[in-house]
Structure formats: structure tokens, C-alpha cells
Amino acid sequence: MSSTNSTVSCNGNSNVDIQTMDLGFDHLDLDRYVDVGNKLADAAGEVIRKYFRKSFDILDKEDLSPVTIADQAAEESMVKILEENFPSHAIFGEESGWRCKENFADYVWVLDPIDGTKSFITGKPLFGTLIALLHKGRPILGIIDQPVLRERWIGISGRRTTLNGQEISTRSCPQLSKAYLYTTSPHLFSGDAEVAFARVRNKVKVPLYGCDCYAYALLASGYVDLVIESGLKPYDFLSLIPVIEGSGGVITDWRGHQLHWEASSNSDVASFNVVAAGDKRVYQDALDNLQWY
Amino acid sequence: MLSHSSSRFHSLNHHPRHPNPAIYSCSLSLPFRISHSTLKFGAIDFKMSSTNSTVSCNGNSNSNVDIQTMDLGFNHLDLDRFVDVGNKLADAAGEVIRKYFRKSFDILDKEDLSPVTIADQAAEESMVKILEENFPSHAIFGEESGWRCKENFTDYVWVLDPIDGTKSFITGKPLFGTLIALLHKGRPILGIIDQPVLRERWIGISGRRTTLNGQEISTRSCPQLSKAYLYTTSPHLFSGDAEVAFARVKVPLYGCDCYAYALLASGYVDLVIESGLKPYDFLSLIPVIEGSGGVITDWRGHQLHWEASSNSDVASFNVVAAGDKRVYQDALDNLQWY
């Protein structure tokens, strides 16, 4: 009963009815969201390609992370499209923060125009544009886009994840000793998190570094088994959830709890510890070794 | 399950790749066919080193070319032919590698526990075959197949690493590289870094400007460490004293293998510092980096040198590369590797 749309779609397909009643939106809505999601990634990509490997000013933010005119321009291009298409939706952008007519909204688009700004700045084509759509706090659409390589992973609630239109799947991996693990940098772990991470890292087959969100995309595609990171912001993991779950993988915090962040005008941008795996067995093995209670 | 996205990769450089244009400082009236069997290895006297150099000296008023020919024992025609074949090697390895990238294949663990794949082996074989056809008297040192030569020593040695960054290759990450170096009397005169999925090729040639897909490139200025972007592949490649020394420098970015050196030559990265590198992993980088205005040495500031032969041990080296001499000196001062 949450929207008029759900009344219309109840007439046809019974599976859709259940989903519609539960979630308050239907497939037509979802396809429109995916469509606009693609437009967002296209627009951000255009901007980013203009700046990639060109000179530009790098500003240091308060937390000393670098941001560039490319980040800001790419985010603006996406915000513009959303304001035209879904004026009642809220937007939470990494650069521009919360934008909405209300203080709360059922639909929130969460945007990170360049995840892996340091890779972008150094001309390394493995950063990503991250786009998530939340419905009542739950990510129903996630996009990871690499605009230089022109690779786009799209995860949608209830559907199989695709890479450039092809369905993909994670791969099997029975245990840590067989696992290829990625993390962006050992320097992003501190204190207890560093110790916990080391317990897993010491047991995996091969620990690798330096991929940002691209590592999660590789995991969804079945080339990587495990990604473990600490201190991730919501705009950096929300889009990953539908991508990874839709390809058969699992992604939670280090306690095995679902990652959840309620976006609003009052939101603190908390940090989260994230573990993603292609196979439930290596996922459990990782949790058992993280011992994050 | 496996996507065909590899066919969607675009060259990052919108200009079509073309062979490094021949840069002749002299004009030769006739193409002269090089007969390799007449080249005398080890000859320092330029009159004897090849019939070609005699021809080129006649037409050329540029004394720089003469000096270079006298010093080095080869001439521009030779070098262009080497570059030409170097491009063929990279093309051949790239064909093989693209066939295997993001496909399933068996991964074998070598004695030192580093993974090697059928792609490594097949790519190297494809290059060896081309070299045996084109330069049968040259020696070859391949990471997978070792030393190959009719003699025990020779003036020309091709040093090959078909996939530098095998772990990146195995995990579907398109930043590994094919590395090709040609040594003349132990000195790298040609270096190629090739990324076959992104179709990016860096070519460094003795006495010439380095190019990326045919465009000349240059390192960028960087006055000191605090302003530098530093890359290294993995924290696990440093041990003991090397680990302590490296920690004195600054927090690096990770995960690029040879691609980091290529980014440095292109002016997007300021410093690359690594430990435990094998000769087949750094020799090709030298002409690429020096030809773009950068510097690359060991941690003591000494030239990196490895004499390849049938008896060579494959020693490990600590390498530092920089785009600007100032940040290079700052790095050495912090490494304090005496």
C-alpha cells in the first residue's frame, strides 16, 4: 500500500505481487531506476574521461584526502540528472552531501563520483564511479563504473549482476589457504583492525593490494575470492551490495552483520569494516579468523 | 560466466598506435640490408663493427651520430630493426596473453611459490620463436625458459618477462606488463613495457625520447618527498633492513607492478621504490625511464647492471626510480642504504 504503483502491478504476476507488496515498488519502477542509473554513470564517465591524465589542481580536504575538480564536476553532472528525473528523491553525494526537499525520503541516491581518487590522480585506470539507490535504507540498485576501461557492473535487487550486459558469477573457494585476497592498502587498518586483518592475511594464498572498488568488481566476476577493508564510508560500499549479492557472493561487516546506513540530512558518515567473499565457506573462514566480536 | 569485456577495452590513447618512427639524423640514400653474420661481436673499432656503419658515416654530417656509432658499435639502422622486432615480440606476446586473460587456466606454483601460468610460458615461447628467426646469433634470457644461445657470451642479449605481475593477471586485473629489453654489452639499449589488454606500449630507446603509443612523453617535476606520489607493488616484498629503510620514505600507493614505472615515465607518478627485483623486471625499465627524463638506480644511487650469460645467477636488486632528480635525492637520503 506504500505507493499507487504497487496496486497496479498486483493484477498480473504473483511473484511480483509478493515482491511489490513487500518492497513498495515494481519492476517498471526498477527498470526506470536502472535506466537513469546508466545515464548517471554515462554522464560522470564523460566528465572523468575529460580529466583523466590531464593536469588539474588537487585540493586537500580536511581529512587530507585529495579531491579534484573531476570529482566535483562528475558529481554535479549526476545530481543534475537526478533533479530532472526524480525531484522527490534524496541524494547523498560524497562531495556535496545531503540534498532533498524533505529531511527523510524513501528513495536515496548515494554517489561517489571517483572512488580511488589517488589512483585517478596518478593516471591508474582502476578507480570507479559508485552509484547506489536505497529504498527505505536498503540498496536495490548498485553500479560500479570504470569509465576509462568502459566496464560497468550493475547489481539489481532480485536479478543477476551483469558486467557490460553479461551475467556474471563469483567462483567457488573452500578456504582461506586457497584464497586470493585484495585490499587497497595495509595503511588503512589501525589498532585492533590491523591485528585482525593480519590474522586473515597470514593465512590466504595470495594477498594483493591497490584496487579500491575494482577489487569488489573482480570478486563479483569470479577472479578474486575475498576483499577485506576497514574504514569504508557508506558511499563506498552501498553500491557494492547489490553487485556482489546478485553474483552469488556475500558482503557484510566483520561481525557478519548486514551493512546498513540510514541516509538523512542528519547522517553522520560513519566508517565501516567490510568483508566480501565469493563463496560462503571462505567467508566463514575469514570471519572466524578476524574474530571481530 | 566469463564476460567478453576484454574486447571492449579501448586504447587509452586516442591516437592509433604506430611503430616508433625512425628518427634518422642522417639521410641514407639507399636502404642497406644488414647481414648479421658479418657483424663482429665485441668490436669497438667502428670501422669493423658492421658494414652499415661505414655507409652511414659517409652521408651524415652530424658528428653526434658518428660518436654514438663509434662508442656503441651499432648504428641507427640496427637500432630501428631491433625496435621493429621488439614491437613484433610485444605483438605476439599480447596475442597470447589476451587469449588467456580472464579465462580459466591452471596455475602452477614454482619452487619459490610464485605462480606461473600457461599464458606466461606460451607468451615467452612466441617471443623466443621470433627472435630465433630474426636474430639467431643473439642470446635470449627469458624468465620462464632461462638462457638460450649458441655461444656462452654474446654482445646482444634479449631479456624477456612475458607477464610481470602474474598475480594481477591471474586475478583479472589489467595492469600487468610484458617486459622486453635488449642489452648491448650489458647495457640496455631498448626497453618495452607493454600492457596488452589496455593496448598501451611504452618504448624506450638509447639516445631517443621515450614514447607511449607513439607519442613522446616526459616525467614531471617534483621538488621533494612531501609532494611526491610514490608507488610500490606490495608491502610483502620488503624484508628486514629493506623494510625499515622503506618505511623512512613515505606512505606509498600499492599494486601496480611495472605499470607504476610506466606511469612515472608518463609524468603521473613521482617515485617508485621496490625491493627484490629480478633483472628481467627492471632492465626494460631503464631506457623507458631515462628516455623520458627520469632516473633509475639501485638504493645506493649506483647504475643497475646485470651481465647476462649462461652462468648468470639471477640476483635480486633494490630499485628506486624518480621523475625528478630532487625527489630522487630526497628518497636516497631517507633510504640511507649504505
Side-chain angles (χ1 to χ4, degrees), chain A residues 53 118 122-124 148-151 163 166 180 182 185-187 201 206 208-211 214 218 223, chain B residues 2-4 9-10 12 102 109 167 171-173 175 198 200 231 235-236 253-256 259 263 268:
Chain A
R53 293 186 178 176
K118 290 176 190 164
T122 52
K124 180 177 162 186
V148 174
L149 308 188
R150 295 183 190 263
E151 294 180 298
L163 161 57
Q166 303 270 99
Y180 282 79
Y182 262 102
S185 169
H187 304 285
R201 190 210 55 223
V206 184
L208 296 165
Y209 299 87
C211 250
Y214 201 84
L218 290 175
Y223 305 118
Chain B
L2 299 160
S3 81
H4 301 286
F9 286 121
H10 289 236
L12 297 186
R102 294 186 177 177
D109 287 321
K167 292 170 191 171
T171 52
K173 180 176 161 184
L175 290 193
L198 309 187
E200 295 179 299
Y231 263 101
H236 305 292
L253 299 169
Y254 292 93
C256 252
Y259 201 84
L263 289 175
Y268 305 118

Side-chain angles (χ1 to χ4, degrees), chain A residues 7 15 20 31 41 43 105 107 129 131 172 203 208-209 241 259 272:
Chain A
T7 311
N15 280 345
T20 309
D31 286 329
Y107 289 99
T129 297
I131 296 161
S172 67
K203 288 194 169 176
L208 296 165
Y209 299 87
I241 298 170
L259 290 155
F272 293 73

